[in-house]
Amino acid sequence: MRRFTIVGLVVALIALAGCGGTATPPPSAAAPASAVATLAPSPSAAASPSAAASESPAAAGTPVLVDPFTSAGAAIDVDDAAHAADPSKYVTAIPSTSTSVQIVFALKPGTVGRVTMNLTSGGTAVMSPLSIDYGTINSWGHFKIDSSNGFSPGVYVATLTFEPTGAAIQVAFTSS
């Protein structure tokens, strides 16, 4: 069984609307919101038929975005200092030897609320859900999933839910 260390991060960035320079965030906004857990895959999680059906290799690709999500994808490399999510970094496949993958997302400007991520493989939860409180100072966020032994081959689906409305999207990637 592989063990996963999960770090949920929201990059606290200031939207520089109309500014040509940089802004210094207040001390309370300088640190990213985060959640940390070390978990083993849960063999007892029940697989839903719709989750199993969506977890085919063809499911890995561009997610269908719903309001308030404006961008989402899996990435191997993320620049925490970036002012926005970078869709050019999104991937649909990672090598099984990768020790990290990040689930990146952005919400419409001004959106506030909790975003929860559930990660499954083969319709079975591989970790407990993680949540991030997304604030007006955030321009994007990401959940970092670390596995010191790499990722077992298969299809992984991260379901991101914007809790205030229940809007959900799925980000799928394969490991081989």
Side-chain angles (χ1 to χ4, degrees):
M1 258 196 209
R2 300 199 186 274
R3 294 186 61 81
F4 292 91
T5 302
I6 296 82
V7 178
L9 297 172
V10 168
V11 177
L13 299 172
I14 301 297
L16 302 173
C19 296
T22 60
T24 303
S28 63
S34 64
V36 179
T38 301
L39 306 164
S42 174
S44 62
S48 71
S50 62
S54 69
E55 291 189 2
S56 68
T62 305
V64 175
L65 299 175
V66 296
D67 188 39
F69 292 94
T70 61
S71 182
I76 295 172
D77 182 35
V78 170
D79 179 4
D80 288 332
H83 292 282
D86 184 357
S88 72
K89 299 280 188 172
Y90 294 168
V91 299
T92 57
I94 64 169
S96 62
T97 55
S98 289
T99 57
S100 178
V101 66
Q102 299 188 49
I103 306 303
V104 179
F105 67 96
L107 302 178
K108 288 175 24 178
T111 302
V112 176
R114 182 170 291 235
V115 177
T116 301
M117 180 193 72
N118 292 293
L119 185 66
T120 60
S121 181
T124 301
V126 296
M127 55 176 258
S128 295
L130 286 180
S131 294
I132 293 174
D133 289 324
Y134 194 92
T136 57
I137 64 168
N138 302 118
S139 59
W140 65 288
H142 61 101
F143 295 94
K144 183 176 181 185
I145 306 161
D146 289 330
S147 177
S148 59
N149 297 323
F151 290 82
S152 297
V155 176
Y156 292 82
V157 176
T159 301
L160 302 174
T161 305
F162 181 64
E163 296 298 331
T165 64
I169 61 170
Q170 292 187 332
V171 175
F173 64 93
T174 59
S175 173
S176 56

